[in-house]
């Protein structure tokens, strides 16, 4: 039972353009959402998060949007850089819970 | 802040053997988590400690798995009688008790291969 879904296994974009990574969730109790970036042979690195009281959070080139009614969030990277090439995981947790539910990841390739 | 440290980075073992992994969290972090990641999947929660108390365990954590955090600092994860299905990346993470919305910081994992 995959409660967090990333339906695009891969995405390729040109350097300088926008990358948009999408994530859907099914559990309406989730109230905290995070994006992690993972390079090969390393653990996931925290990128950006958003709580359910907001619909947007921005940190430099990275913006996360949350649409609670659609149970959908997205990560925008502008402008994309070759160093952004990695696997991106969406994760969520519910009120009172201490564990994260992860999606299956999207591999982003930024082409120079 | 040296980050979350895991040892060993790689472990190859034969089916039926026992293995133990160690995790050293970020020093001021009270909470410690174990996750497992298999190929093509995201990390899956195994168990969680607050200080030395193991407060939550996933049903993924079969009787062959045991985790400890004896003094509320480092943690060990032991797998007894390993099976080929145990082959995965085992990730440790930690975060401090400073509120509800605090991200987890992950180590680089221990990759287990059971032959």
């Amino acid at each position: 039972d995959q409660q967090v879904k990333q339906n695009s296994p891969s995405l390729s974009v040109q350097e300088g353009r926008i990358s948009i990574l999408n994530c859907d969730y099914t559990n309406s109790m989730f109230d905290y959402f995070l994006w992690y970036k993972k390079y090969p042979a390393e653990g996931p690195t925290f990128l950006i998060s958003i709580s359910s009281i907001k619909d947007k959070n921005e940190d430099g080139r990275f913006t996360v949007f949350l649409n609670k009614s659609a149970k959908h969030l997205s990560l925008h990277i502008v402008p994309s850089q070759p160093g952004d090439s990695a696997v991106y995981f969406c994760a969520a947790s519910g009120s009172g819970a201490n564990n994260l539910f992860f999606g299956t990841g999207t591999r982003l390739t930024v082409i120079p | 802040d040296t980050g979350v440290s895991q040892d060993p980075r790689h472990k190859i073992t034969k089916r039926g053997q026992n293995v133990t992994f160690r995790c050293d969290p970020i020093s001021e972090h009270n909470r410690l988590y174990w996750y497992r990641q298999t190929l093509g999947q995201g990390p899956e929660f195994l168990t969680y400690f607050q200080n030395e108390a193991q407060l939550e365990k996933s049903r993924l954590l079969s009787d062959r798995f045991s985790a400890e955090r004896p003094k509320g600092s480092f943690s060990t994860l032991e797998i007894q009688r390993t099976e080929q299905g145990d082959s995965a990346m085992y990730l440790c993470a930690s975060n401090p008790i400073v509120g509800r919305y605090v991200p987890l910081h992950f180590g680089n994992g221990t990759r287990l291969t059971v032959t």
Side-chain angles (χ1 to χ4, degrees):
Chain A
D1 179 20
Q2 193 75 24
Q3 299 188 58
V4 178
K5 300 177 184 178
Q6 294 176 256
N7 292 320
S8 297
S10 63
L11 174 68
S12 291
V13 298
Q14 286 293 134
E15 181 178 3
R17 305 293 292 268
I18 184 171
S19 295
I20 300 176
L21 296 95
N22 294 302
C23 177
D24 297 292
Y25 61 96
T26 57
N27 190 335
S28 58
M29 297 301 292
F30 287 153
D31 65 350
Y32 182 47
F33 305 89
L34 309 90
W35 285 94
Y36 281 83
K37 180 169 72 173
K38 187 179 184 303
Y39 294 117
E42 295 184 10
T45 301
F46 170 69
L47 199 56
I48 191 169
S49 65
I50 188 167
S51 70
S52 59
I53 60 173
K54 294 184 175 181
D55 54 18
K56 176 183 174 181
N57 190 26
E58 192 171 352
D59 184 1
R61 297 186 297 114
F62 302 91
T63 303
V64 56
F65 295 92
L66 175 63
N67 182 334
K68 290 186 289 293
S69 60
K71 294 191 178 67
H72 177 84
L73 65 157
S74 61
L75 175 68
H76 293 211
I77 307 174
V78 177
S80 300
Q81 299 173 353
D84 296 329
S85 297
V87 177
Y88 289 78
F89 290 98
C90 170
S93 71
S95 180
N98 290 290
N99 54 312
L100 294 178
F101 292 86
F102 282 83
T104 52
T106 297
R107 181 177 300 278
L108 173 66
T109 302
V110 180
I111 303 164
Chain B
D1 179 358
T2 57
V4 177
S5 177
Q6 292 189 247
D7 183 70
R9 290 296 308 274
H10 303 274
K11 178 70 177 179
I12 300 174
T13 191
K14 292 186 177 179
R15 190 175 52 193
Q17 297 295 304
N18 299 345
V19 294
T20 300
F21 311 140
R22 176 179 170 123
C23 171
D24 288 88
I26 294 171
S27 59
E28 63 269 23
H29 287 187
N30 309 87
R31 295 173 171 157
L32 185 148
Y33 307 77
W34 286 98
Y35 281 77
R36 180 175 71 185
Q37 185 178 15
T38 54
L39 198 62
Q41 300 297 315
E44 295 175 294
F45 171 77
L46 292 178
T47 189
Y48 150 69
F49 290 85
Q50 183 163 301
N51 299 313
E52 66 275 8
Q54 189 173 17
L55 296 185
E56 193 170 343
K57 290 196 289 186
S58 162
R59 62 177 182 271
L60 292 176
L61 210 68
S62 77
D63 291 345
R64 297 184 297 105
F65 287 69
S66 63
E68 294 182 346
R69 195 182 183 197
K71 296 182 180 179
S73 56
F74 73 92
S75 175
T76 58
L77 177 68
E78 180 183 16
I79 308 175
Q80 296 182 328
R81 305 180 303 282
T82 52
E83 302 173 355
Q84 286 188 322
D86 297 331
S87 295
M89 174 74 82
Y90 289 84
L91 293 162
C92 179
S94 69
N95 65 357
I97 305 175
V98 290
R100 171 72 181 88
Y101 302 118
V102 183
L104 274 60
H105 298 265
F106 283 87
N108 286 330
T110 293
R111 180 167 294 286
L112 173 66
T113 302
V114 182
T115 63

